[in-house]
Amino acid sequence: MDSAMPPTAANRAPRDTLPDPRRWWGLAVIALAQLMVVLDMTIVNIALPSAQADLGISDANRQWVVTAYTLAFGGLLLLGGRVGDLIGRRRALIIGLIGFAGASALGGVATTGGMLLAARGLQGVFAALLAPAALSLVSVTFTEPHERARAFGIYGAIAGGGSAIGLISGGLLTEYLNWRWCLLVNAPIAIIAVIGASTFLHDRRRDSETRLDVVGAVLASGGLLSVVYGLSEAQQRGWTSAFVLSLLAGGLVLLALFVVAEGHVAHPLLPMRVLRDRNRAGALLSVGLVTVGMFGMFLFLTYYLQVTLGYSPVRTGLAFLPLTAGMMTGAVGIASRLLPRVPARLIMTPGLLVAATGLVLLTRIQVDSSYATHVLPSLLLLGLGMGATFMPAMSTATFGVAPRDAGVASAMVNTSQQVGGSIGIALLNTVATSATASYLATHGTSQLAMATGVVHGFSVAIWWAVGFLLAAAVLASVLITARPAAPTVVEVPQERVPALV
């Protein structure tokens, strides 16, 4: 005779409070979508020389193959996040995936340089829609502290290691197939993600009276576009260029007007309540400073391995595998286990110091340095530190946000990454170029001096990256004061508890 009591109104948990048993499959779909967005920021870098030769793109215009994507992506993120809040995050994710797949296919079959640039811009537009939707879906799906920590550990590892995976994939596809596959590969990935999103993801969006803030959208998008464009042009024209300074100043003015306007509209694009939380502000600033150093490091190390050490594209991509392994370990193996019990700042601060140590070791590279003794230890430390940083930072930046603001809060995380990356590439590349020029002015322009001067420039720029990581460590330790969330107990009806045999 079964002695189990029948479920009653007193012991039955409401159906909509029970966690979705398929939520981990949903996380796999979200991670796949995020990986596609992140790796596309680097996968084209290795394929760029082949694409340039095939389509006859000039040296002056080749940068736009990368810039067209980052410009649209960074400039439209806030708008994309708010659109996701209005139409539903799952719907925004699916629309973004379909559009991203179509734009990728268009770029893969491009017959002219202009067609490729247009396709890259469209990729950025749809990435700005799906990236905030992906992160906000993680935030609203996983609310129990231990599950949330594990979910953000996986997501943080993907977000942090996706750039390295892009380098590996770009090398393999370019060397063994064709540069076009660096774009075409996104189509089948997106199709799988769309099917998975339709099957496993659910967005409990409630009807609201929120409307799109058109004035805010124009000011924010215009300001971000101007700033990102100015940062990208600084790499080519220099920081003292009147054109660059005009773009940066104009962008800052538009963003200032945006902040003022948001305080006077009923349904703001970026409610200031999202930024008033000191923990969220600290997490966003830390992420932005970290990506300044990370993107610069990827650029310099890629050139060092291929140009200085003579690595092939495939070997260069494989050389970054320890970084990806370190990030997975730091995010999933360390941070996700500690976050439910340890304050985020006590994970992020040591992680940033470990990553900074890895960069310090990387400043010791020489023209004839060994990968095993100089590069490998740096990548392992950098990966561990970044994994332990990104995971709690993303969780902190999106924790406690009202459901109606989840998309825009997630967009702010992506925006801090994108703007930080643009600053890193422009600023650190300028620092490296100036240091190389100073070295050559002193030591002459022989072949050995030129090779040594380039490596010297890389080392000087990496020291700047160390400074940004240390600044992020200080901000994280001072601003982020949140304590671990208390575990959430969900009462499960007895008829849904599996019997133990």
Side-chain angles (χ1 to χ4, degrees):
M1 181 175 177
D2 190 356
S3 60
M5 295 179 60
T8 65
N11 64 12
R12 182 184 295 113
R15 181 174 299 273
D16 62 355
T17 65
L18 295 172
D20 188 340
R22 300 182 299 176
R23 62 195 178 281
W24 293 105
W25 285 105
L27 178 63
V29 173
I30 295 169
L32 185 63
Q34 177 65 18
L35 176 63
M36 185 177 65
V37 171
V38 175
L39 68 82
D40 212 73
M41 297 173 68
T42 55
I43 193 173
V44 176
N45 288 350
I46 291 180
L48 184 54
S50 299
Q52 180 183 0
D54 194 13
L55 300 180
I57 301 174
S58 66
D59 289 343
N61 291 329
R62 66 184 176 187
Q63 63 155 329
W64 282 101
V65 178
V66 176
T67 304
Y69 177 78
T70 58
L71 187 61
F73 187 23
L76 299 175
L77 270 168
L78 269 181
L79 178 60
R82 200 38 139 186
V83 169
D85 288 334
L86 294 178
I87 69 174
R89 265 84 66 175
R90 187 182 76 155
R91 183 181 300 175
L93 181 70
I94 292 175
I95 294 173
L97 285 168
I98 294 173
F100 197 90
S104 299
L106 178 65
V109 299
T111 56
T112 65
M115 186 175 175
L116 177 60
L117 297 181
R120 291 287 288 165
L122 281 175
Q123 279 186 305
V125 171
F126 288 106
L129 182 62
L130 72 89
L135 181 55
S136 58
L137 280 169
V138 177
S139 181
V140 299
T141 300
F142 297 92
T143 56
E144 194 278 327
H146 286 81
E147 286 197 347
R148 181 181 177 87
R150 194 191 317 169
F152 271 94
I154 296 171
Y155 185 91
I158 293 295
S163 298
I165 297 174
L167 293 171
I168 297 170
S169 304
L172 291 170
L173 292 171
T174 301
E175 188 159 331
Y176 294 113
L177 291 175
N178 187 282
W179 69 266
R180 295 180 182 276
W181 280 100
C182 291
L183 294 166
L184 293 173
V185 71
N186 289 323
I189 294 176
I191 291 173
I192 294 173
V194 167
I195 295 173
S198 302
T199 305
F200 300 117
L201 293 178
H202 302 283
D203 185 18
R204 297 172 182 173
R205 181 175 66 91
R206 295 178 172 87
D207 294 332
S208 67
E209 299 178 356
T210 302
R211 294 184 295 273
L212 186 62
D213 174 17
V214 177
V215 174
V218 172
L219 291 174
S221 299
L224 287 173
L225 284 168
S226 184
V227 169
V228 175
Y229 183 25
L231 293 172
S232 65
E233 285 296 298
Q235 184 179 355
Q236 302 293 325
R237 300 171 182 260
W239 290 95
T240 58
S241 166
F243 183 67
V244 170
L245 294 176
S246 298
L247 285 172
L248 295 178
L252 292 176
V253 169
L254 288 175
L255 291 176
L257 292 174
F258 166 70
V259 172
V260 173
E262 293 304 271
H264 296 83
V265 295
H267 305 285
L269 180 68
L270 175 60
M272 291 298 108
R273 59 180 177 269
V274 174
L275 298 180
R276 289 194 186 104
D277 183 90
R278 63 179 295 166
N279 296 289
R280 187 170 300 113
L284 292 173
L285 288 172
S286 298
V287 168
L289 289 172
V290 166
T291 51
V292 171
M294 284 290 290
F295 273 61
M297 185 279 299
F298 276 126
L299 176 67
F300 300 137
L301 196 53
T302 300
Y303 273 97
Y304 175 73
L305 293 174
Q306 288 198 30
V307 178
T308 304
L309 299 186
Y311 281 23
S312 67
V314 171
R315 192 178 179 187
T316 298
L318 294 176
F320 280 95
L321 274 178
L323 177 70
T324 305
M327 284 188 169
M328 292 294 293
T329 303
V332 182
I334 299 176
S336 66
R337 295 176 183 271
L338 294 177
L339 188 60
R341 302 185 298 273
V342 179
R345 70 177 184 279
L346 297 184
I347 305 173
M348 292 176 60
T349 303
L352 287 164
L353 294 177
V354 169
T357 302
L359 285 181
V360 169
L361 294 178
L362 198 58
T363 62
R364 299 167 55 244
I365 57 174
Q366 304 293 329
V367 174
D368 56 351
S369 293
S370 166
Y371 173 83
T373 58
H374 289 80
V375 179
L376 178 59
S378 300
L379 291 179
L380 289 173
L381 289 174
L382 190 61
L384 283 171
M386 289 297 94
T389 299
F390 275 116
M391 180 264 160
M394 290 183 174
S395 178
T396 301
T398 57
F399 184 73
V401 180
R404 67 183 184 277
D405 296 328
V408 73
S410 302
M412 287 302 299
V413 177
N414 285 278
T415 300
S416 64
Q417 286 182 295
Q418 189 60 38
V419 174
S422 298
I423 293 174
I425 292 175
L427 175 61
L428 299 186
N429 187 65
T430 302
V431 170
T433 302
S434 300
T436 298
S438 299
Y439 183 91
L440 295 179
T442 304
H443 295 82
T445 57
S446 65
Q447 185 174 358
L448 177 60
M450 292 183 67
T452 305
V454 169
V455 176
H456 170 73
F458 292 167
S459 297
V460 172
I462 292 173
W463 274 114
W464 278 65
V466 172
F468 282 109
L469 263 64
L470 293 177
V474 172
L475 287 176
S477 64
V478 173
L479 293 179
I480 300 177
T481 59
R483 297 180 178 272
T488 302
V489 179
V490 178
E491 185 178 359
V492 181
Q494 292 186 13
E495 75 270 18
R496 294 186 63 172
V497 178
L500 299 178
V501 180

